[in-house]
């Protein structure tokens, strides 16, 4: 079979998100680019300047990951590609697969008239800094054309990639400041196309892997990533009640949970307006009676309670808060926890909360 004469660049990615990110960079460079899902059949030809093969090799056995990756690279080579890239994410790299694929592939193609490089995704570096470092390395090795280098330098990560990193950073911040512990709590963000990213089950917010977050379709079906938390329905119900919300944070934060256990609180608005910032960031806090975690009735109760407020406190469980951004939801959750702490510190003493007029003045100014 004759090779496709115009093909110049071939890339294999270890997941679909990475594949589309790279394909966007190639396309922005003016290259006719095709993304193929899975290793293509040997008889298939594609008319393109660049081909990106999207595999799903992050979580399979290393030997099989290497086999599938090398098969895809060989297919690209037979199509005439002379420049190769391997796009891997942090999960793939941490399990050793990246090193095995890169070692096998670079050895194989350095014996031929081709060039080879890899593109990593790491959350411990700022995206732009990492991209520039990768570009400089590739340019020194003569792996990039100047036009492609310029476009890589200017490229920005996709919304999904940025959101994954944002969730990981927020989780780490929340965990390190003692607002959650173990594998408790979860975070979600709704993307502009209606899909939703959420922290998975049995995952510590302090050690989230962006590549393994649970991804839901716009219709609410789990389509990618690790198994979702059993509390996913809480997030989905909050988005139903707050259609303009873009993020939801649910924690088992100590002082908020303590307040949810107290007898005699106002179930329509659990905490008094102790500070201006509590009023502006949380507002009203209704209490939802106790249901077993995972009970569908809890979802219905939360949705009904959240129709006119962004924050709900579940009895003997914890808060769930929606925001127009992840930052807004996180800050509101933290403000609630500090106010709950103040309330418990002052419990049994005569309080001087904000007056109804002062509270309304703050709410009207938001």
């Amino acid at each position: 079979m004759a090779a496709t004469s115009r093909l110049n660049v071939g890339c294999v990615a270890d997941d679909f998100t990475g594949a589309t990110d790279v394909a966007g960079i190639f396309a922005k460079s003016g290259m006719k680019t095709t993304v193929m899902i899975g290793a293509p059949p040997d008889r298939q030809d594609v008319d393109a300047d660049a081909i990106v093969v999207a595999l799903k090799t992050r979580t399979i056995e290393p030997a099989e990951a290497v086999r599938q990756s090398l098969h895809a690279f060989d297919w690209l080579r037979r199509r005439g590609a002379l420049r190769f890239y391997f796009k891997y994410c942090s999960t793939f790299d941490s399990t050793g697969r990246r090193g095995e694929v890169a070692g096998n592939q670079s050895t194989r193609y350095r014996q031929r008239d081709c060039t080879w490089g890899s593109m990593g995704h790491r959350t411990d570096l700022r995206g732009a800094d990492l991209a520039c470092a990768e570009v400089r390395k590739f340019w020194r090795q003569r792996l990039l054309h100047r036009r492609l280098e310029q476009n890589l330098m200017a490229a920005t990560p996709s919304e999904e990639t940025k959101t994954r990193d944002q969730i990981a950073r927020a989780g780490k911040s929340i965990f390190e400041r003692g607002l959650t512990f173990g594998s408790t709590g979860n975070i979600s963000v709704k993307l502009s196309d209606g899909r939703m990213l959420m922290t998975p089950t049995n995952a510590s917010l302090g050690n989230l892997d962006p590549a393994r977050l649970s991804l839901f379709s716009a219709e609410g079906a789990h389509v990618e990533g690790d198994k979702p938390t059993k509390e996913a329905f809480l997030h989905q119900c909050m988005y139903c009640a707050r259609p303009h919300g873009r993020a939801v944070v649910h924690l088992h934060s100590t002082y908020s949970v303590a307040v949810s256990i107290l007898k005699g609180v106002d179930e329509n608005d659990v905490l008094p307006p102790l500070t201006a910032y509590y009023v502006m960031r949380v507002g009203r806090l209704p209490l939802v009676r106790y249901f077993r975690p995972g009970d569908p009735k809890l979802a219905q109760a939360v949705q009904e309670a959240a129709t006119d407020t962004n924050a709900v406190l579940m009895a003997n469980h914890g808060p769930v808060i929606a925001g127009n951004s992840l930052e807004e939801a996180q800050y509101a959750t933290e403000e609630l926890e500090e106010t709950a702490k103040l309330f418990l510190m002052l419990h049994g003493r005569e309080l001087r909360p904000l007056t109804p007029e002062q509270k309304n003045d703050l709410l009207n100014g938001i």
Side-chain angles (χ1 to χ4, degrees):
M1 179 183 296
T4 306
S5 60
R6 68 182 290 175
L7 181 61
N8 180 43
V9 175
C11 178
V12 174
D14 69 340
D15 65 2
F16 184 74
T17 300
T20 55
D21 284 347
V22 174
I25 293 172
F26 291 158
K28 189 175 179 181
S29 303
M31 305 170 75
K32 183 177 180 181
T33 304
T34 297
V35 177
M36 309 195 73
I37 300 176
D42 199 54
R43 64 183 180 276
Q44 185 171 354
D45 275 325
V46 180
D47 180 28
D49 301 310
I51 297 177
V52 183
V53 179
L55 301 179
K56 197 170 184 180
T57 50
R58 288 189 287 104
T59 56
I60 64 176
E61 289 297 320
E64 179 61 16
V66 171
R67 188 196 69 78
Q68 291 186 22
S69 301
L70 295 183
H71 173 72
F73 276 118
D74 285 341
W75 182 88
L76 291 166
R77 181 68 178 91
R78 290 195 295 273
R79 296 299 163 291
L82 294 176
R83 298 170 185 271
F84 296 90
Y85 302 111
F86 176 40
K87 176 65 172 70
Y88 64 92
C89 73
S90 54
T91 305
F92 196 97
D93 194 29
S94 66
T95 53
R97 296 171 176 83
R98 181 260 169 182
E100 293 188 45
V101 174
N104 279 276
Q105 196 64 19
S106 60
T107 299
R108 179 179 301 194
Y109 287 156
R110 278 172 185 158
Q111 298 171 357
R112 306 181 185 181
D113 184 23
C114 2
T115 50
W116 156 262
S118 58
M119 303 177 186
H121 171 76
R122 293 169 53 195
T123 58
D124 57 331
L125 294 176
R126 296 182 64 85
D129 294 338
L130 178 59
C132 290
E134 292 286 351
V135 167
R136 285 192 293 271
K137 180 182 72 174
F138 283 6
W139 180 252
R140 286 195 299 269
Q141 298 173 355
R142 296 184 178 180
L143 297 178
L144 295 180
H145 294 301
R146 174 62 67 180
R147 186 180 182 191
L148 180 55
E149 176 199 14
Q150 292 169 347
N151 281 281
L152 275 167
M153 289 289 220
T156 57
S158 67
E159 178 196 13
E160 181 181 331
T161 297
K162 290 189 289 186
T163 302
R164 287 175 180 273
D165 288 346
Q166 184 186 21
I167 291 173
R169 287 195 301 270
K172 183 177 177 64
S173 173
I174 288 170
F175 185 87
E176 289 183 345
R177 288 180 293 123
L179 295 169
T180 189
F181 46 89
S183 62
T184 63
N186 29 75
I187 299 170
S188 70
V189 175
K190 185 184 290 186
L191 302 172
S192 58
D193 61 5
R195 294 178 302 153
M196 179 175 60
L197 284 166
M198 186 182 301
T199 53
T201 189
N202 293 324
S204 168
L205 293 189
N207 190 33
L208 293 172
D209 186 332
R212 300 182 66 172
L213 298 180
S214 304
L215 179 65
F216 292 79
S217 68
E219 294 72 35
H222 177 230
V223 295
E224 188 179 310
D226 285 359
K227 181 180 177 181
T229 170
K230 65 177 177 292
E231 295 182 315
F233 66 90
L234 291 177
H235 296 251
Q236 293 166 335
C237 288
M238 286 297 286
Y239 289 122
C240 288
R242 315 300 299 168
H244 298 295
R246 292 295 302 275
V248 172
V249 175
H250 165 51
L251 300 180
H252 300 177
S253 42
T254 302
Y255 293 101
S256 297
V257 174
V259 168
S260 79
I261 300 171
L262 290 177
K263 277 188 175 183
V265 296
D266 181 355
E267 295 187 2
N268 185 58
D269 193 2
V270 177
L271 291 174
L274 297 181
T275 68
Y277 286 99
Y278 173 77
V279 172
M280 292 187 289
R281 288 185 171 150
V282 180
R284 190 173 72 87
L285 182 68
L287 182 71
V288 170
R289 70 183 182 88
Y290 174 78
F291 292 92
R292 176 181 54 82
D295 190 333
K297 294 178 182 177
L298 177 59
Q300 181 180 351
V302 167
Q303 184 170 337
E304 291 173 355
T307 54
D308 62 350
T309 180
N310 289 325
V312 173
L313 185 62
M314 297 176 289
N316 305 77
H317 190 159
V320 54
I321 298 181
N324 294 327
S325 67
L326 177 53
E327 186 177 72
E328 183 178 300
Q330 178 185 346
Y331 289 170
T333 306
E334 294 174 3
E335 192 67 40
L336 168 57
E337 179 68 358
E338 288 303 306
T339 303
K341 182 178 180 180
L342 278 175
F343 179 72
L344 292 170
M345 289 174 64
L346 296 168
H347 198 60
R349 301 189 180 192
E350 188 174 355
L351 300 180
R352 190 184 67 249
L354 300 181
T355 66
E357 293 77 15
Q358 291 169 330
K359 180 178 179 179
N360 290 333
D361 177 61
L362 291 167
L363 294 174
N364 292 335
I366 297 175

